[in-house]
């Protein structure tokens, strides 16, 4: 159901809508890279996204359903309940890295991502897929095919796509924790900057669908 809202100027509108149960949801469905593994509270890129949206795209609720260690199969098994509970307007899929690090069969990874994107779209959500690359020690051919599958799924499922979540710093060892896998706090704004250009158009569409009368700031 579309809910038309009376325009209330400034912060009053933002507060009123934030408290409204019908606020459109952005669901982040990911692994430790989105669950802020090893970071101080509130310093992960999803936390920064929530703050940015309060300033630049008010009226949304961000739900972070990410779990450290999650695989595409685990995410696929959990997604139906999340879609039913939150009825998201946008689903951000940040899964696959753990599959790749474990050398999982790529056909299975592709199938799981495709199923999640399809289920999200069937539930009425727009989908954004965040791509990932593997360290070179996993083999050039496997790494190439792994990275390519994110774009392939995005194309077939008509989803938005970010080719590489670590764009611009993936080779910067100083921007990763001691495990060499998880970015440090100072890298989280870079991740958000990579995601935002692909996400913002989806937020504009979601606002229109929800009947929000105020434009995204800067539009």
């Amino acid at each position: 159901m579309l809910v038309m809202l009376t325009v209330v100027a400034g912060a009053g509108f933002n507060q009123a809508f934030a408290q409204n149960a019908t606020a459109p949801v952005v669901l982040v469905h990911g692994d430790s890279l989105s669950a802020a593994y090893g970071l101080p509270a509130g310093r992960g890129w999803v936390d920064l996204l929530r703050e940015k949206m309060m300033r630049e795209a008010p009226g949304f609720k961000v739900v972070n359903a990410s779990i450290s260690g999650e695989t595409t199969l685990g995410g696929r098994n959990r997604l139906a309940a999340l879609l039913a509970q939150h009825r998201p307007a946008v689903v951000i899929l940040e899964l696959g890295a753990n599959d790749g690090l474990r050398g999982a069969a790529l056909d299975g990874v592709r199938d799981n991502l495709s199923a999640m994107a399809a289920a999200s779209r069937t539930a009425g959500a727009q989908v954004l897929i965040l791509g990932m690359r593997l360290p070179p020690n996993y083999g050039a051919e496997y790494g190439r095919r792994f990275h390519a599958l994110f774009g392939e799924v995005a194309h077939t499922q008509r989803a938005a796509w970010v080719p590489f979540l670590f764009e611009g710093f993936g080779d910067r060892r100083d921007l990763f924790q001691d495990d060499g896998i998880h970015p440090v706090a100072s890298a989280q704004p870079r991740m958000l900057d990579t995601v935002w250009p692909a996400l913002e158009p989806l937020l504009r569409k979601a606002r229109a669908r929800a009947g929000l009368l105020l434009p995204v700031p800067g539009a």
Side-chain angles (χ1 to χ4, degrees):
M1 182 191 321
L2 296 182
V3 180
M4 299 302 295
L5 301 176
T6 302
V7 175
V8 180
F13 170 83
N14 298 337
Q15 182 179 6
F17 191 74
Q19 295 173 348
N20 195 317
T22 61
V25 169
V26 175
L27 175 67
V28 182
H29 193 38
D31 51 35
S32 57
L33 301 178
S34 297
Y37 175 87
L39 299 177
R43 297 291 298 278
W45 78 266
V46 180
D47 301 302
L48 302 181
L49 171 64
R50 185 178 290 111
E51 295 172 3
K52 184 178 181 70
M53 289 178 60
M54 289 178 63
R55 299 189 306 269
E56 301 185 26
F60 286 90
K61 178 182 178 181
V62 177
V63 174
N64 192 355
S66 303
I67 297 177
S68 293
E70 187 67 287
T71 63
T72 55
L73 180 59
R76 180 177 181 175
N77 290 338
R78 289 197 298 125
L79 183 59
L82 292 170
L83 294 174
Q85 178 182 357
H86 299 292
R87 301 184 180 277
V90 178
V91 173
I92 300 176
L93 294 176
E94 183 277 299
L95 287 166
N98 287 315
D99 301 71
L101 291 174
R102 298 171 187 177
L106 296 183
D107 286 345
V109 178
R110 183 183 294 103
D111 183 60
N112 290 333
L113 280 175
S114 295
M116 287 187 283
S120 299
R121 291 178 57 243
T122 298
Q126 301 176 89
V127 178
L128 173 59
I129 295 173
L130 306 186
M132 183 51 59
R133 295 184 185 274
L134 293 176
N137 53 301
Y138 282 81
E141 180 61 17
Y142 183 85
R144 182 194 65 77
R145 292 174 55 216
F146 174 80
H147 178 248
L149 72 82
F150 294 95
E152 293 165 2
V153 172
H155 176 73
T156 57
Q157 293 297 328
R158 301 193 299 277
W161 173 46
V162 170
F164 186 31
L165 184 57
F166 297 165
E167 187 64 45
F169 74 93
D171 58 351
R172 291 271 306 273
R173 184 64 185 84
D174 59 308
L175 291 178
F176 287 83
Q177 298 176 41
D178 291 342
D179 59 14
I181 295 174
H182 298 94
V184 297
S186 61
Q188 302 299 309
R190 293 171 179 256
M191 296 164 67
L192 175 57
D193 288 345
T194 297
V195 172
W196 184 254
L199 176 60
E200 186 179 22
L202 306 186
L203 299 179
R204 292 175 182 269
K205 292 178 183 179
R207 291 176 72 89
R209 289 180 180 180
L212 302 188
L213 301 181
L214 291 182
V216 174

